[in-house]
Amino acid sequence: MGEETGSSVGRENQNTKNESTQEDSGVKYYTRKEVQVHNMGKDTWLIIHDKVYDITSFMEEHPGGEEVLLEQAGADATESFEDVGHSTDAREMLQQYYIGELHMDDRKKESKKEVYITTSKDSRSWSTWFIPAIAAVLVGIMYRYYTLEHKSS
């Protein structure tokens, strides 16, 4: 009897991994496979920045037409969304279609961009004034040269 309970708990845990999960915070997590199923006009989900949106009711209202949304339906539309350059209003409007997050296991690993930070104040301060100073001196020399040349002609 004790073994039955243990095996049924094991089966429950296994099933939970295959279905969308919900953390204590109330956020629902979806796998890519779950999102991919919602790829039709009457049932359309998108992933944008690892967030899942059910945009089915927005399809007919989309200013760019529903075809562009259908092309991305059931998939990660982050790149397309950003390439278009949506307004702040569009980004705020997107929030009303939010239904959950992409499961951590399905998120793309972002390549770490190398960031170079200069901590020395000396190198930063001299470059701030040195380059404009050189440019000013060159402009002054050129001005002098051309004004003197034109006077002598």
Side-chain angles (χ1 to χ4, degrees):
M1 210 165 174
E3 290 176 19
E4 287 177 19
T5 312
S7 63
S8 66
V9 170
R11 272 184 258 137
E12 284 177 22
N13 287 341
Q14 190 175 7
N15 289 342
T16 307
K17 289 179 184 176
N18 296 333
E19 298 171 6
S20 56
T21 59
Q22 193 163 356
E23 292 291 317
D24 293 335
S25 62
V27 175
K28 193 160 187 173
Y29 288 87
Y30 298 94
T31 63
R32 279 192 191 276
K33 285 185 178 183
E34 288 176 303
V35 175
Q36 287 172 351
V37 179
H38 304 273
N39 61 1
M40 295 168 272
K42 302 278 186 221
D43 181 24
T44 312
W45 291 12
L46 294 176
I47 302 167
I48 300 175
H49 294 293
D50 296 328
K51 293 182 182 337
V52 180
Y53 300 94
D54 180 351
I55 58 161
T56 308
S57 61
F58 179 68
M59 295 292 286
E60 291 178 13
E61 299 173 34
H62 186 253
E66 61 184 84
E67 295 82 22
V68 293
L69 296 176
L70 278 173
E71 288 175 11
Q72 301 294 321
D76 191 333
T78 303
E79 192 173 330
S80 298
F81 183 82
E82 292 302 335
D83 285 349
V84 171
H86 285 89
S87 66
T88 306
D89 291 340
R91 291 172 190 277
E92 288 175 9
M93 183 184 292
L94 187 62
Q95 297 311 309
Q96 66 185 320
Y97 302 104
Y98 173 82
I99 58 171
E101 301 276 330
L102 186 62
H103 195 278
M104 295 298 181
D105 294 342
D106 285 339
R107 293 183 184 199
K108 291 181 181 173
K109 307 288 186 257
E110 291 184 28
S111 59
K112 298 286 180 185
K113 295 181 182 175
E114 292 186 27
V115 178
Y116 298 99
I117 299 172
T118 307
T119 56
S120 171
K121 291 181 182 179
D122 294 336
S123 67
R124 186 174 175 204
S125 63
W126 75 264
S127 64
T128 305
W129 63 266
F130 184 71
I131 295 172
I134 295 295
V137 168
L138 288 173
V139 169
I141 291 170
M142 289 172 56
Y143 176 76
R144 281 287 234 196
Y145 175 76
Y146 286 113
T147 56
L148 290 177
E149 189 176 286
H150 290 294
K151 285 184 181 179
S152 61
S153 302

